[in-house]
Amino acid sequence: MIKFLDIQKINAQYADEIKQVTSRVIDSGWYLLGNEVKTFEANYANYIGAKHCIGVANGLDALRLILRAYIELGILQQGDEVIVPANTYIASVLAITDNCLIPVFVEPNIATYQIDDGLIEAAITVKTKAIMIVHLYGQCAYTERIAEICKKHNLKLIEDNAQAHGCVYTELRAMSQEPRKTGSIGDAAGHSFYPGKNLGALGDGGAVTTGDDELAGVVRALANYGSTQKYVCDYQGLNSRLDEIQAAILNVKLKYLDEDTDRRRSFARYYIENIKHPDIILPIINDWDAHVFHLFTIRTSKRDKLQQYLIENGVQTLIHYPIPPHKQTCYKAFNEFSFLITEKIHNQELSLPISPVMTNVEIIKVVDLINKFY
């Protein structure tokens, strides 16, 4: 069986180092808000190119805390609108509604699956205060047009970088500027270290990155019961902290992230160059540095049949995502909305196996099976 993602095999690569650092944490007797977290925060901030990194419990909390901090700072208030892509994972939307803010859905570009920057401005109202872009599947969603819209309308730009660790916005080269990694482009960004991510912990974990000193301070306080000093709470916060063991593991795996990404890109290139099937729509890649291939997604009107065929032949696949946020039962108020492009993607998308521990034999088998599918 070719697994969709062999997490056990991925972590086995670093087993000795992981065991060494986890033993160090266990022996230290210090398990929260210690040196391991401080070290990872510094290392990840440096890697991303952000001034601040605040470790939190998970990626959803990272986004929730950014929005909550803006509310505490008076930049947002309940009832304000946040523009978000219609075809994202539901966590992006949950973070908005959890803060009593209103998500305004904008369709993606069918070629890139990223939010269509040509549709954003028409969605802006007097209540719009922020745009949340999602670097979906590991591809950069940011464009200069989005930056111009934010500047014109005085909107905060929040990045959902849960799927795009190490992704680079490269168009700055054309303006003689250094490329920047996603997570350092907007006003703030949320990151997830769920085990299946490109940079995955051995449990839940997340982070907020930002260049805003004040925002960083409020996020850090909110994540620790609203406290900046023990037993003194300035805000009605929550308990959302990255623990020492997960931070230590992430420090190990961060060293290998770029190398692992190169492996993902090589397999993605093989898929694109060798899948030849009239019913399969492959992703369009204009810049390979701007995609880290957290997922390799194809589209086909025969999605369910293809998925069944592949599992019968020993290949696991997943669907990202079968139900778009506006059609979820928990958002009944949005169920009557119609987003045709989003719904088309969600009805046709299939994610093929891709990871740094796949073998050439496995990737060749997946391609061969797809090309023989009729």
Side-chain angles (χ1 to χ4, degrees):
M1 173 66 71
I2 298 175
K3 294 182 179 180
F4 174 74
L5 183 67
D6 195 334
I7 295 177
Q8 187 176 16
K9 190 174 180 181
I10 288 172
N11 289 322
Q13 300 175 106
Y14 323 117
D16 290 342
E17 288 183 80
I18 288 173
K19 290 173 184 176
Q20 182 180 359
V21 298
T22 52
S23 293
R24 183 177 72 212
V25 174
I26 292 167
D27 293 343
S28 75
W30 195 288
Y31 308 123
L32 284 170
L33 301 179
N35 289 330
E36 300 292 347
V37 171
K38 289 178 183 176
T39 300
F40 174 71
E41 288 177 341
N43 288 343
Y44 193 64
N46 182 64
Y47 176 78
I48 291 293
K51 186 176 181 181
H52 300 281
C53 172
I54 303 98
V56 299
N58 54 70
L60 172 57
D61 276 4
L63 296 174
R64 291 169 67 207
L65 286 161
I66 291 168
L67 294 169
R68 173 70 184 284
Y70 278 133
I71 291 172
E72 295 290 350
L73 290 168
I75 293 168
L76 296 177
Q77 61 182 2
Q78 292 184 4
D80 283 344
E81 295 173 351
V82 178
I83 289 173
V84 65
N87 64 316
T88 185
Y89 180 57
I90 197 169
S92 311
V93 185
L94 289 171
I96 296 169
T97 58
D98 185 61
N99 281 286
C100 298
L101 301 167
I102 300 170
V104 176
F105 299 107
V106 170
E107 288 268 51
N109 182 312
I110 191 66
T112 65
Y113 308 133
Q114 308 304 313
I115 192 168
D116 190 334
D117 60 9
L119 302 177
I120 291 175
E121 201 154 18
I124 295 172
T125 74
V126 293
K127 290 186 175 182
T128 306
K129 295 298 188 293
I131 299 173
M132 182 184 292
I133 58 173
V134 182
H135 304 296
L136 197 65
Y137 308 147
Q139 185 168 11
C140 183
Y142 177 80
T143 67
E144 288 300 311
R145 187 171 187 177
I146 292 173
E148 291 166 4
I149 292 169
C150 288
K151 184 177 181 180
K152 177 180 176 180
H153 296 276
N154 193 29
L155 305 177
K156 292 297 182 182
L157 180 61
I158 300 164
E159 299 174 75
D160 182 339
N161 200 54
Q163 300 184 7
H165 314 104
C167 180
V168 178
Y169 175 65
T170 56
E171 291 183 22
L172 290 169
R173 289 183 183 138
M175 296 173 278
S176 300
Q177 297 181 42
E178 282 295 315
R180 296 174 65 184
K181 286 189 174 72
T182 57
S184 69
I185 299 170
D187 294 289
H191 308 255
S192 169
F193 306 123
Y194 180 78
K197 303 297 187 184
N198 291 25
L199 179 61
L202 267 63
D204 270 323
V208 172
T209 54
T210 182
D212 185 328
D213 296 347
E214 190 174 26
L215 181 74
V218 177
V219 167
R220 191 175 292 282
L222 285 169
N224 188 33
Y225 299 98
S227 173
T228 53
Q229 180 182 346
K230 194 168 185 178
Y231 302 131
V232 179
C233 295
D234 299 317
Y235 311 100
Q236 295 179 32
L238 53 140
N239 176 17
S240 182
R241 299 175 296 200
L242 181 67
D243 70 67
E244 288 285 281
I245 285 180
Q246 299 305 333
I249 291 166
L250 289 167
N251 269 318
V252 170
K253 297 179 76 174
L254 180 60
K255 296 184 297 184
Y256 303 102
L257 179 57
D258 288 342
E259 181 183 333
D260 287 350
T261 299
D262 287 341
R263 289 282 290 169
R264 288 176 177 273
R265 287 190 180 123
S266 69
F267 289 134
R269 192 180 295 274
Y270 187 86
Y271 275 144
I272 289 173
E273 292 177 352
N274 292 279
I275 293 176
K276 310 290 183 184
H277 195 292
D279 295 320
I280 304 295
I281 300 170
L282 295 166
I284 297 170
I285 310 300
N286 295 319
D287 189 328
W288 286 84
D289 287 338
H291 207 316
V292 294
F293 293 98
H294 171 59
L295 300 173
F296 187 90
T297 60
I298 61 173
R299 283 194 298 116
T300 174
S301 60
K302 300 178 173 64
R303 191 262 308 279
D304 295 344
K305 289 183 179 179
L306 175 59
Q307 185 177 42
Q308 183 61 33
Y309 161 80
L310 288 173
I311 196 66
E312 288 172 356
N313 285 276
V315 177
Q316 290 182 341
T317 60
L318 287 179
I319 297 169
H320 294 89
Y321 300 95
I323 306 172
H326 69 282
K327 295 295 184 184
Q328 295 283 355
T329 302
C330 64
Y331 286 127
K332 290 180 181 178
F334 306 146
N335 286 176
E336 298 305 313
F337 290 178
S338 178
F339 297 107
L340 298 181
I341 296 174
T342 290
E343 288 157 27
K344 183 175 186 178
I345 292 169
H346 284 252
N347 287 331
Q348 295 183 345
E349 190 277 340
L350 187 67
S351 298
L352 302 182
I354 190 165
S355 82
V357 295
M358 283 189 74
T359 67
N360 293 339
V361 171
E362 288 175 329
I363 204 87
I364 291 169
K365 179 180 177 179
V366 175
V367 170
D368 186 54
L369 284 169
I370 290 173
N371 286 339
K372 291 177 179 177
F373 170 65
Y374 289 103

